[in-house]
Amino acid sequence: MADGGSARSRSGKAGSIFSKNVNRFQAKVLQKLGKADETKDQMFELYVHNFNNQVLSANRLQKELKRYIDCVKSMSAATRSLHEALESIYEPDWNGHESVGTMRQTSDLLWEDYQNRLVEQVFNPLLSYQSKFPEVKRRIEKRGRKMIDYDSARHAVEASKNKKDESRVAKAQEQFDLARTSYEDINNELLDELPNLYDSRIPFYASTFQLISSTEGTFHSEIGKTSLQLNSVMDKLFEEGSKGTYNVTRSNSEAGLHPISPTSPSSIGGGDNNSMFSISSTRTMDIPKPDPPQFTNEDNEDDSEDHNYQVPTAIPEDLNDDDHEYQHPPPARPANIPSSPPATQNGDDLPSGVLYKVQAIHDYERKDDDELTFKKGDVIFVINYDDPDDEEDGWLMGRIENSDVKGIFPENFTSRL
């Protein structure tokens, strides 16, 4: 029986709500058509407008603050990974090795503290501030429904008076009084609450903005000090590295080899203790004696003082020139950059200014205005750049045979004639 009574109660309540919704819909239609009065309160509408803007502003701040905190977390993780890489690469004998690890730990603590303060002091209070809005919004919607009931009851009283039915007028008046009381109660509450809630945004945002700026300022100040300390260590490493402080000492004996002594070429390859190579402490290997290099007396005067001198594989042509000292050959230039125009390799039939000729082995379509377009088989005259500073590795300046158009082109698309 209890379950049946409860079901009838729920059914009756649902029916009452449905009936109220139908009456409210009808009242709104009559108001739209101008056949029923509608209560207007411009001051309340202004309060609701301000409240809606307040909600939008708080929602935007919450969204952007959450995104900012997520970025701080990502930056914290990226910074930690970078510092861990630096620490793992930084060799133990380098200046400030221990400081690098200490500063990485300090950086981790600062980033973690920054995240926690943003969440606890800024983000969580903002969520608490926003938590008031749903309830206020629900009551504003309820006030709107009560206002429709109030307008509908007032319209019913006026309609009953026209029919001159006292009982009907009395019932309509009773319903009107109830509707007016319900409407005015919630309306008056909101008229007090909405402006107070709107004004509360000022101290809340002032505190929030101050916390954001102070938290950010403190973090950047402290992380800046750590960065300056790390920069000082790296400057010292750069200075010492530039001086060659940590360069590896190169010695043939480190590889189990004895240095070559050129003071007695005739002893090379002999069976005595001056053998050219010593593979281990118990095993030696004789090497056939090579032909000694041919030096002039002038160039060989001081050789006996250099016990680490290694026999050159080739002797520069200018070695016998008394006016020049011996220089190590320059590092090999890339094969695609001619060091100087060829002498007379192509004969004397080349036009003036032409260094040599090449033939295209692939088609090439220029990618820039200063490049040359050609087809496979085209003959190209290689010429000097107008400005030597414009020379590029792997590129030549030239013009197609029987053409005045010139430009740069990739050397590996051609074959030298």
Side-chain angles (χ1 to χ4, degrees):
M1 295 297 292
D3 291 341
S6 177
R8 285 194 296 273
S9 175
R10 289 196 298 269
S11 176
K13 185 176 181 179
S16 176
I17 293 174
F18 177 77
S19 177
K20 286 182 178 181
N21 289 335
V22 171
N23 291 336
R24 288 166 182 163
F25 177 76
Q26 292 175 346
K28 292 296 292 181
V29 171
L30 292 176
Q31 289 174 353
K32 295 284 186 183
L33 297 175
K35 296 182 179 181
D37 294 336
E38 181 180 2
T39 299
K40 296 288 186 180
D41 190 337
Q42 294 182 349
M43 184 60 68
F44 185 84
E45 291 175 0
L46 175 62
Y47 291 163
V48 172
H49 175 75
N50 291 339
F51 170 75
N52 290 333
N53 287 338
Q54 186 178 9
V55 172
L56 291 175
S57 297
N59 289 345
R60 179 182 180 184
L61 179 60
Q62 187 262 349
K63 176 183 177 182
E64 297 301 332
L65 186 59
K66 183 179 183 302
R67 181 182 300 175
Y68 181 80
I69 293 174
D70 290 341
C71 290
V72 169
K73 292 180 180 178
S74 298
M75 190 61 189
S76 173
T79 302
R80 181 184 304 110
S81 297
L82 176 61
H83 284 196
E84 287 175 349
L86 291 176
E87 186 179 3
S88 65
I89 297 171
Y90 210 96
E91 297 184 10
D93 60 334
W94 291 357
N95 174 71
H97 177 265
E98 295 181 356
S99 299
V100 172
T102 301
M103 283 179 277
R104 191 263 303 165
Q105 296 174 0
T106 302
S107 176
D108 287 348
L109 292 175
L110 289 173
W111 277 106
E112 183 179 0
D113 179 68
Y114 186 34
Q115 296 175 52
N116 292 337
R117 292 181 64 185
L118 285 174
V119 172
E120 296 173 4
Q121 299 181 16
V122 181
F123 190 73
N124 288 343
L126 176 59
L127 293 180
S128 178
Y129 172 72
Q130 289 179 289
S131 66
K132 305 174 184 178
F133 298 154
E135 175 61 21
V136 174
K137 185 176 181 180
R138 184 188 66 79
R139 292 171 60 208
I140 291 174
E141 293 172 349
K142 181 178 179 180
R143 182 257 184 194
R145 294 192 296 270
K146 294 299 182 181
M147 185 179 69
I148 294 176
D149 294 342
Y150 168 68
D151 289 339
S152 178
R154 184 177 58 189
H155 179 71
V157 170
E158 294 174 355
S160 64
K161 289 180 180 179
N162 294 332
K163 296 182 179 181
K164 299 179 180 180
D165 186 341
E166 295 297 333
S167 61
R168 198 168 178 181
V169 170
K171 184 177 180 180
Q173 185 65 42
E174 181 181 358
Q175 292 179 348
F176 171 73
D177 291 339
L178 292 173
R180 181 176 62 183
T181 300
S182 297
Y183 165 70
E184 289 181 347
D185 286 345
I186 192 170
N187 185 67
N188 291 335
E189 289 176 1
L190 289 172
L191 285 174
D192 290 336
E193 184 175 355
L194 287 175
N196 291 334
L197 179 62
Y198 186 65
D199 289 342
S200 70
R201 79 194 189 284
I202 300 174
F204 172 77
Y205 285 137
S207 174
T208 299
F209 296 163
Q210 192 273 336
L211 284 169
I212 292 176
S213 60
S214 64
T215 301
E216 187 176 34
T218 300
F219 167 73
H220 286 299
S221 176
E222 295 300 322
I223 202 71
K225 295 177 183 177
T226 304
S227 298
L228 287 175
Q229 294 173 3
L230 183 61
N231 182 61
S232 178
V233 172
M234 297 308 173
D235 282 347
K236 183 66 174 177
L237 175 65
F238 177 80
E239 179 182 350
E240 294 184 353
S242 300
K243 296 177 180 178
T245 303
Y246 305 109
N247 288 358
V248 176
T249 302
R250 291 169 174 81
S251 173
N252 290 338
S253 60
E254 291 179 358
L257 302 177
H258 293 302
I260 301 173
S261 177
T263 56
S264 181
S266 61
S267 65
I268 298 178
D272 57 6
N273 294 332
N274 292 325
S275 59
M276 184 174 183
F277 293 99
S278 175
I279 304 303
S280 68
S281 60
T282 60
R283 184 177 179 181
T284 61
M285 180 174 66
D286 293 337
I287 304 300
K289 181 172 66 176
D291 293 334
Q294 300 299 319
F295 297 118
T296 63
N297 293 331
E298 291 82 0
D299 292 317
N300 208 27
E301 287 179 355
D302 298 328
D303 282 352
S304 59
E305 297 179 2
D306 186 2
H307 297 287
N308 290 323
Y309 175 77
Q310 296 190 5
V311 179
T313 58
I315 301 175
E317 294 179 359
D318 61 349
L319 187 62
N320 294 325
D321 189 351
D322 295 337
D323 297 331
H324 298 82
E325 295 182 358
Y326 174 73
Q327 299 290 335
H328 291 289
R333 295 171 60 90
N336 49 18
I337 297 296
S339 59
S340 62
T344 57
Q345 194 168 350
N346 294 311
D348 298 328
D349 58 341
L350 293 175
S352 176
V354 176
L355 305 179
Y356 56 92
K357 294 189 295 185
V358 296
Q359 187 172 30
I361 57 176
H362 302 288
D363 295 345
Y364 181 73
E365 186 73 24
R366 70 178 185 177
K367 306 297 189 299
D368 209 339
D369 293 340
D370 62 345
E371 296 179 13
L372 194 65
T373 297
F374 51 79
K375 299 293 185 181
K376 180 179 179 181
D378 286 350
V379 175
I380 304 171
F381 291 149
V382 178
I383 60 178
N384 283 321
Y385 278 79
D386 295 336
D387 186 350
D389 292 338
D390 293 338
E391 293 187 16
E392 300 181 34
D393 290 351
W395 293 79
L396 300 174
M397 172 66 74
R399 60 180 176 85
I400 298 177
E401 187 177 24
N402 299 324
S403 171
D404 294 331
V405 179
K406 70 177 184 178
I408 63 173
F409 60 92
E411 186 178 10
N412 59 357
F413 275 60
T414 63
S415 175
R416 185 162 175 169
L417 293 177

